Amino acid sequence: MTQRTDEPAIRAEGLTKRFGDKQALAGVDLEAAPGTVLGVLGPNGAGKTTTVRVLSTLLRADSGHAWVAGHDVREDPEGARRNLGLSGQYAAVDEKLTGRENLYLVGRLYGMGRHAARRRAGQLLDGFDLKDAADRRSGTYSGGMRRRLDLAGALVARPSVVVLDEPTTGLDPRGRADTWTSIQELVAAGTTVLLTTQYLEEADQLADTIAVIEGGRVIARGTAAQLKARVGGERLSLTVPAAHQRAPAAEILDALGPHVPALDARTGRFTVATDHGAASLEYALGCLRQLDIEVRDVALAPPTLDDVFLTLTGRPRTAGEGAVAPPMEGAR
Ligand SMILES: Nc1ncnc2c1ncn2[C@@H]1O[C@H](COP(=O)(O)OP(=O)(O)OP(=O)(O)O)[C@@H](O)[C@H]1O
Ligand SMILES: [Mg+2]
């Protein structure tokens, strides 16, 4: 669009924001190249929504700078808004209006003519699988349908930059997969996307680069592969159903190498990092069999972003933060 190709589509430098005595942002730096997805990953209260509100000109930072498509959000909020579509954490749809009316209204607010606004609403209703419900009051929509309508609303004016605050929180696996597909299509069409998420696998799936944020700071950044590389070898995991067999099993796993096995006491699931992959697995299973220890669900997998988070922060991402279950296959 009006943007030079060598400049980032989204840039933030040293953003800070304090609410009373709460330092919500303590110096956030971000950058997304045009046509890429930047995943901002963090637990509850990390500062994701605050960052999104600053970028979308809804909130003024105490200090620092941010640009959207080259427009300074403080100096030229109009320019920033013209290039930006926002879908908030809580779907902002007018429940009294139908889905079609909601989208039509957004188009008109963006200055589209009646005909163009109507056509665009129709396209988006098709694209987001809302055709059948298009002329029903959106107050009757399910949570997933509302999220889709809200996401569609962010795209009405074909912005070059789209900011999505937790676009899949609260969706079922089908709704989440559909949203992922929509985001991938957007990016394939050249749009730059910043998405926030608490789901490590979502960032892993969608994001070209990831910024891990906690306590209002970026504590790590890079590609999913780079972040994974920081935590080293594969993860061996297995479940020991019988509680009395867990202590001897722990000893065997501990003896595999320098890494300390972790045990989920509720499920009996052990996880341990291993530097020798399949060989460690075979050895461990041999020892466990010798002691007649029953094991289930044996797995060997590359480190996940969950492991990365644990390594970076020294604790699981859900500890004490109102745990949110991982969205798809469940805990690894
Ligand atoms: N308007 C506000 N007034 C007071 N405190 C606020 C306000 N907005 C955010 N905060 C605080 O700032 C911190 C960051 O909040 P933010 O909403 O950015 O987190 P988040 O990463 O979006 O979390 P979540 O995953 O729960 O949406 C939190 O401690 C929050 O309580
Ligand atoms: Mg939030």
Side-chain angles (χ1 to χ4, degrees):
M1 291 200 154
T2 52
Q3 206 182 337
R4 292 192 354 241
T5 47
D6 56 342
E7 96 189 310
I10 298 170
R11 187 146 70 99
E13 273 178 16
L15 296 180
T16 72
K17 183 71 194 179
R18 176 182 280 275
F19 295 107
D21 59 4
K22 177 76 205 174
Q23 192 73 45
L25 302 182
V28 168
D29 301 320
L30 295 173
E31 199 170 297
T36 65
V37 180
L38 169 63
V40 175
L41 179 68
N44 288 139
K48 300 182 297 296
T49 298
T50 306
T51 302
V52 162
R53 291 177 68 209
V54 170
L55 288 172
S56 50
T57 75
L58 299 174
L59 181 73
R60 221 165 221 260
D62 295 337
S63 66
H65 290 279
W67 296 263
V68 171
H71 301 270
D72 187 317
V73 299
R74 186 189 298 257
E75 305 296 326
D76 181 14
E78 285 286 318
R81 276 199 292 269
R82 223 175 22 245
N83 286 279
L84 181 114
L86 170 67
S87 172
Q89 185 168 10
Y90 305 101
V93 303
D94 186 334
E95 303 199 343
K96 293 194 293 297
L97 302 180
T98 67
R100 191 186 303 283
E101 288 165 347
N102 264 289
L103 295 180
Y104 174 78
L105 194 69
V106 174
R108 294 292 282 160
L109 288 174
Y110 272 101
M112 293 169 119
R114 286 173 210 280
H115 183 65
R118 207 171 296 128
R119 202 178 49 208
R120 185 68 179 142
Q123 283 171 348
L124 289 164
L125 290 163
D126 280 357
F128 283 89
D129 202 16
L130 291 167
K131 210 160 139 187
D132 295 340
D135 298 305
R136 229 165 70 198
R137 278 182 49 231
S138 57
T140 68
Y141 287 11
S142 72
M145 291 164 78
R146 275 178 213 220
R147 294 290 334 210
R148 296 212 298 279
L149 183 60
D150 188 58
L151 185 52
L155 308 182
V156 167
R158 294 188 178 80
S160 63
V161 177
V162 174
V163 174
L164 308 172
D165 194 10
E166 298 198 28
T168 67
T169 298
L171 295 189
D172 64 16
R174 162 86 201 283
R176 186 166 294 113
D178 288 349
T179 304
W180 288 4
T181 305
S182 304
I183 293 169
Q184 281 157 345
E185 285 169 2
L186 264 182
V187 178
T191 310
T192 307
V193 176
L194 180 151
L195 79 96
T196 75
T197 183
Q198 301 183 39
Y199 300 135
L200 300 136
E201 66 185 280
E202 182 158 289
D204 195 1
Q205 281 281 326
L206 295 177
D208 297 293
T209 56
I210 297 170
V212 184
I213 147 169
E214 195 188 46
R217 268 176 231 284
V218 177
I219 58 169
R221 69 179 84 233
T223 62
Q226 284 166 344
L227 291 178
K228 286 177 180 178
R230 287 177 64 168
V231 290
E234 289 175 297
R235 262 53 184 179
L236 190 169
S237 45
L238 51 82
T239 299
V240 177
H244 71 277
Q245 294 189 321
R246 289 175 193 162
E251 271 182 47
I252 290 169
L253 296 176
D254 198 26
L256 286 177
H259 309 284
V260 181
L263 170 66
D264 180 335
R266 196 176 52 82
T267 59
R269 186 134 187 100
F270 284 95
T271 304
V272 63
T274 150
D275 300 326
H276 304 288
S280 299
L281 176 64
E282 270 175 46
Y283 178 75
L285 288 179
C287 297
L288 291 160
R289 203 174 301 123
Q290 273 187 356
L291 295 184
D292 273 332
I293 296 175
E294 187 204 347
V295 298
R296 289 191 194 148
D297 300 330
V298 178
L300 190 64
T304 65
L305 286 172
D306 273 312
D307 299 320
V308 174
F309 206 86
L310 184 60
T311 306
L312 292 172
T313 64
R315 59 180 176 72
R317 70 184 166 109
T318 46
E321 284 155 350
V324 180
M328 301 202 85
E329 275 75 43
R332 277 170 281 224

